[in-house]
């Protein structure tokens, strides 16, 4: 066997032995809340389309019209081929929405993180990272070459002591966190974090991937980064910040300079989605309300976002429960290490404005029936 294939086979065998190999399952989204998998139609609780906009006729029409008018792709980097006016319009709109001077659109949220972080800090600097930060923030921090200090999840005392002990060693310091944590659904104590960071002249980047359109921000960071692919239902990433920061990134963020621009249709879709988000505030309130109905029914702490984890421990148990839920007509993905720490595998439940109350109640019953949560938990919580 070629050494390359032997390497891959050996790695796959290790992943199999630890139940960590990932597999793609053909699954078509057939409505905002339903998917087709083989001959089964499932209610999906595994999608980040929190407002059901990916399938909204207005969003689709905007994208289709842009494809008809401007074609399928951007053709080259915006600095090379010329800047499509729809992208400028989207940036203006995002900046207005976030209350910043300016914005810059990237090919995805992942590309935004790995472009922005290394453009702002380097080997002489510090990155302070919440331990549960998304993989792309970790990648961005590593790419920057800065010294990375990790603080315990949402532990503001530890952040303050790290800054007190280490801030003087670095020219610049950047704190990285998420407004809503992607696998836990809880929120960063952003006001407190910003106050601590600012007192040490450390900058803060908050990734709002799972917050935008779903939760009301308690504070705004100087660097507000996010994605167009979750509540906005489309594809792409962005950073909202001051005018000089955005201007600098146009020259220094490598994933902006050296990557093809976002397709005009993705910009058109995001603009249409922002129109809906602003015109229909009741839509934004729904995912959290449904998540709270769910946590109340199961006697869990009240949901803080559209995401609710059901911790089950080992990867094998998470996989078995997820498979059992499919038999009950529910798609709830098993999240395993390394996405989450060892021993904290979970079912990640994501609610959408497209679900109805009956979907939530059916999921509660299915979780009880497969044994993902015990009826004794409900008795303890006084819910039976
Ligand atoms: C917190 C967070 N940031 C960034 C991303 C990446 O965004 P995108 O899918 O647009 O690349 C994700 C998830 O996909 C995420 O959960």
């Amino acid at each position: 066997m070629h050494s390359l294939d032997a390497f891959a086979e050996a790695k796959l065998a290790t992943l199999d032995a630890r139940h960590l190999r990932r597999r793609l399952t053909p699954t078509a989204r057939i409505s905002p809340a339903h998917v087709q998998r083989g001959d089964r139609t499932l209610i999906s609780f595994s999608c980040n389309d929190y407002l059901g906009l990916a399938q909204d006729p207005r969003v689709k029409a905007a994208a289709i019209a842009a494809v008809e008018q401007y074609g399928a792709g951007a053709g080259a980097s915006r600095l090379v081929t010329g800047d499509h006016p729809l992208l400028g319009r989207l940036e203006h709109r995002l900046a207005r929405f976030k209350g910043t001077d300016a914005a810059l659109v990237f090919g995805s949220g992942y590309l935004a993180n790995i472009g922005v972080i290394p453009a702002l800090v380097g080997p002489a600097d510090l990155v302070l990272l919440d331990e549960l930060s998304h993989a792309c923030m970790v990648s961005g921090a590593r790419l920057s070459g800065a010294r990375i200090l990790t603080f315990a999840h949402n532990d503001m005392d530890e952040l303050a002591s790290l800054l007190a002990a280490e801030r003087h060693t670095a020219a610049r310091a950047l704190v990285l966190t998420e407004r809503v944590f992607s696998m836990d659904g809880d929120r960063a104590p952003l006001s407190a974090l910003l106050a601590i960071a600012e007192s040490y002249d450390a900058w803060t980047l908050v990734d709002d991937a799972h917050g935008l359109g779903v939760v009301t921000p308690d504070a705004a960071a100087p660097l507000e980064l996010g994605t167009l692919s979750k509540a906005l239902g489309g594809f792409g990433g962005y950073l909202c910040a001051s005018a000089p920061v955005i201007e600098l990134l146009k020259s220094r963020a490598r994933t902006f300079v050296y990557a093809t621009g976002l397709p005009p249709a993705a910009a058109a879709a995001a603009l249409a989605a922002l129109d809906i988000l602003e015109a229909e505030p009741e839509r934004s309130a729904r995912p959290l309300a449904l998540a709270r109905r769910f946590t109340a029914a199961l006697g869990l702490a009240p949901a803080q976002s559209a995401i609710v984890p059901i911790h089950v421990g080992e990867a094998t148990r998470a996989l078995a429960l997820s498979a059992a839920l499919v038999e009950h007509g529910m798609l709830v993905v098993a999240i395993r290490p390394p996405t989450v720490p060892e021993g904290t595998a979970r079912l990640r439940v994501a609610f959408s404005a497209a679900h109805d109350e009956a979907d939530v109640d059916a999921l509660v019953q299915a979780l009880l029936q497969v044994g993902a949560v015990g009826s004794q938990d409900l008795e303890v919580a006084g819910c039976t």
Side-chain angles (χ1 to χ4, degrees), residues 108-110 113 134 136 178 182 207 209-210 227 229-230 236:
S108 74
Y110 199 111
N113 266 306
H134 191 266
C136 58
E178 297 181 30
S182 60
D207 187 329
H210 299 275
T227 176
S229 68
K230 303 191 193 299

Side-chain angles (χ1 to χ4, degrees), residues 213-237:
V214 178
V215 302
T216 311
D218 59 332
L223 301 160
E224 287 269 338
L225 185 148
T227 176
L228 309 175
S229 68
K230 303 191 193 299
L232 295 178
F235 201 73

Side-chain angles (χ1 to χ4, degrees), residues 32 49 51-62 272-273 276 280 283:
D49 179 14
L51 302 181
L53 292 180
Q55 311 244 355
D56 188 282
R58 295 163 287 182
V59 175
K60 291 199 286 190
I276 298 170
E280 299 176 10
R283 187 184 282 265

